[in-house]
Amino acid sequence: MAKIYVTRMVPQSGIEALKSKGYEVAVNPEDRVLTKEELIGALKGQNYDALYCLLTDKVDSEVMDAFGPQLKIIANMAVGFDNIDTLEAKKRGIMVANTPGVLTDTVAEHAFALMLSIAHRIPESDKFARAGKYVGWAPMLLLGNDLSGKTLGVVGLGRIGSRVAHHAVSGFDMKVLYNDVNRNEEFEKEFNAIYLPLDDLLKQSDFISIHVPLLETTRHLINAEKLKLMKPAAYLVNTSRGPVIDEAALAIALANKTIKGAALDVFEFEPKITPELLLLDNVILTPHIASATEETRSKMSELAAANIIEALEGRNPLNLLS
Ligand code: DGY
């Protein structure tokens, strides 16, 4: 009987799918991230056939060493997979899979929730109202900015970036600029979108939404120099991976108001947040919850399980990365 280790409690539907196949499923009983030593300790000598892991688990060669030769698949319940050494897995003939597609709409919605919240000053206004400061309608009270008619720069035109662009055009009459490693002429035609080099996109956009994976080439893609290119009235939104932005440089840009605002779901040193950001009103911070809806997290759990089932039944998982 195949054995699977799940690094943390996840939506039950995925676990049930695995159990329905008769697999032995061991779930870390503690609802927290295991340290590397704890994870290795839980795996050693157990002969697991599959690892079901999360973006908070660093799966490197030492963790892979803790498995026997029967390990077939590492299934990440996330679309991002920078936590896994995929090259090392490939060398060892271990399949790696992720969960794209099922979270596209949810993350795109969250990017818009962040964009709307920062531009309409929602958290600031909520704080103001709860503090009993609202004494009557006032013509200049908490003025924000419209999205409608503005220019959105999408950095990274994968599934999520494309969906954000779709909402921008069809929901808010925004003009879309985009940057990616590949041009997509079909997308350009459909959304009247314009491809630009990153620097030009940063100079021309009112809102910038980041959707690139974390790679060596995208680490600190948005640094002090790039932040200086942005308009003083621009807003920056990040729902991809924290290290894509130099968080210290962003905190300085926000404090000095060289850009107008930012909204972040991901952080450079998660779960730590650069303390300077916590003091600023022109930034919104959500704790990496862009895909966190009941519907989507269940689908992610089911897809991670489906990837494992495919691999254990001798087929390629639906979302094979390497
Ligand atoms: C992912 O799946 O990579 C997301 O960051 C989860 O919210």
Side-chain angles (χ1 to χ4, degrees), residues 39 43 73 104 124 135 176 272 302:
L39 179 57
L43 300 172
I73 178 165
T104 302
E124 226 184 313
V135 291
V176 170
K272 289 195 190 111
E302 288 154 28

Side-chain angles (χ1 to χ4, degrees), residues 159-178:
R159 289 180 179 85
I160 298 169
S162 310
R163 198 70 187 140
V164 167
H166 165 272
H167 295 341
V169 172
S170 47
F172 296 90
D173 294 323
M174 295 176 92
K175 174 176 162 189
V176 170
L177 310 175
Y178 79 101

Side-chain angles (χ1 to χ4, degrees), residues 55 76-82 99 103 107 160 239-241 265-266 288-292 297 300:
L55 60 89
N76 215 29
M77 195 189 102
V79 64
F81 53 90
D82 46 277
T99 58
L103 47 67
V107 178
I160 298 169
T239 51
S240 66
R241 284 293 180 266
D265 183 54
V266 286
H288 206 151
I289 55 157
S291 68
R297 285 287 161 86
M300 289 166 72

Side-chain angles (χ1 to χ4, degrees), residues 83-98:
N83 57 309
I84 301 172
D85 186 342
T86 50
L87 287 179
E88 183 61 31
K90 197 182 172 113
K91 252 196 264 164
R92 296 174 186 228
I94 303 163
M95 292 187 260
V96 180
N98 65 343

Side-chain angles (χ1 to χ4, degrees), residues 61-278:
S61 58
E62 286 177 276
V63 171
M64 292 179 209
D65 284 344
F67 289 90
Q70 73 297 328
L71 177 66
K72 290 192 186 53
I73 178 165
I74 298 168
N76 215 29
M77 195 189 102
V79 64
F81 53 90
D82 46 277
N83 57 309
I84 301 172
D85 186 342
T86 50
L87 287 179
E88 183 61 31
K90 197 182 172 113
K91 252 196 264 164
R92 296 174 186 228
I94 303 163
M95 292 187 260
V96 180
N98 65 343
T99 58
V102 291
L103 47 67
T104 302
D105 281 327
T106 309
V107 178
E109 279 185 23
H110 196 79
F112 258 94
L114 289 175
M115 243 184 279
L116 288 163
S117 295
I118 187 69
H120 286 260
R121 302 174 67 175
I122 303 292
E124 226 184 313
S125 301
D126 179 81
K127 223 194 309 175
F128 179 88
R130 286 171 198 267
K133 292 184 182 166
Y134 181 48
V135 291
W137 185 88
M140 305 298 279
L141 179 63
L142 286 160
L143 300 186
N145 292 111
D146 295 323
L147 269 64
S148 299
K150 296 281 170 56
T151 297
L152 171 68
V154 176
V155 180
L157 196 75
R159 289 180 179 85
I160 298 169
S162 310
R163 198 70 187 140
V164 167
H166 165 272
H167 295 341
V169 172
S170 47
F172 296 90
D173 294 323
M174 295 176 92
K175 174 176 162 189
V176 170
L177 310 175
Y178 79 101
N179 177 264
D180 193 271
V181 282
N182 299 310
R183 262 189 85 160
N184 183 336
E185 284 170 20
E186 210 175 295
F187 169 83
E188 289 172 24
K189 267 191 222 126
E190 191 176 348
F191 295 105
N192 220 3
I194 298 171
Y195 175 88
L196 283 181
L198 182 60
D199 287 4
D200 295 324
L201 177 148
L202 295 174
K203 284 180 199 160
Q204 294 181 31
S205 300
D206 303 303
F207 292 85
I208 292 147
S209 194
I210 309 288
H211 300 286
V212 291
L214 177 61
L215 306 167
E216 274 324 304
T217 48
T218 59
R219 190 174 291 277
H220 282 195
L221 183 70
I222 307 295
N223 55 19
E225 201 182 295
K226 300 289 183 204
L227 286 161
K228 281 191 198 125
L229 299 175
M230 290 171 59
K231 295 181 184 181
Y235 295 99
L236 178 65
V237 175
N238 190 11
T239 51
S240 66
R241 284 293 180 266
V244 173
I245 296 179
D246 178 343
E247 213 165 274
L250 176 62
I252 294 170
L254 289 167
N256 295 341
K257 305 220 164 39
T258 54
I259 67 167
K260 191 149 185 194
L264 310 174
D265 183 54
V266 286
F267 304 96
E268 187 169 357
F269 307 105
E270 279 186 33
K272 289 195 190 111
I273 300 177
T274 297
E276 287 77 8
L277 290 176
L278 304 176

